Amino acid sequence: MKLSDIIHGPSVIPELLATDRNGVIRELVQSLADHGAIPQDAAETIAKSAIQRENQGSTGFGKGVAVPHVKHESIQKMTATLGRSSHGIDFAALDRAPVYTVFILISPSRAPEEHLAAMERIFRYLQRDNFRRFLRQTDTREAILDLLKEADESQSD
């Protein structure tokens, strides 16, 4: 599984407009809906589910990154996108630092193993300091997608 296979490229947001956690989740989910990756009529319930999941425990694991995720019955195929904020967002991260890069993963309810494998893949990439730093500095959708492709090519399993 490659990160570029999971990330829905047209939905990537190089500069998030939202300035708070719930707004960022809604913005990313809406981007996925606007670009046909998830059903438009399910966007609000998916966003609410992701926010509810976030309220149970922050997915801001530190180092400027958060990975909200949710499984939902309206989803047929796992998808994800990411957004970056040059200003930083309070995501109640474990290290209490602002979050600059947010990945959101949305999976079918019936595929928990696939969801866990995708989460593991995303976290593996995000453990790399250079990857996080380059993501934070990259300011266009095309450059972000190029970075994901390069990371896939250099990742050894």
Side-chain angles (χ1 to χ4, degrees), residues 6-64:
I6 303 168
I7 301 293
H8 185 257
S11 300
V12 169
I13 302 174
E15 184 60 48
L16 291 160
L17 298 176
T19 57
D20 68 331
R21 182 195 73 180
N22 292 356
V24 166
I25 291 171
R26 289 183 194 288
E27 186 175 348
L28 289 168
V29 169
Q30 192 59 55
S31 183
L32 285 164
D34 290 347
H35 292 93
I38 64 171
Q40 188 69 249
D41 61 352
E44 184 59 26
T45 60
I46 290 170
K48 283 181 181 175
S49 295
I51 291 166
Q52 185 177 35
R53 159 62 190 87
E54 198 67 32
N55 288 337
Q56 295 171 359
S58 177
T59 59
F61 70 85
K63 302 179 182 179

Side-chain angles (χ1 to χ4, degrees), residues 37-39 72-79 107-111 114:
I38 64 171
H72 199 269
E73 66 274 356
S74 70
I75 300 301
Q76 301 303 312
K77 179 181 180 245
M78 181 173 52
T79 191
S107 302
S109 297
R110 69 190 178 291
E114 190 177 80

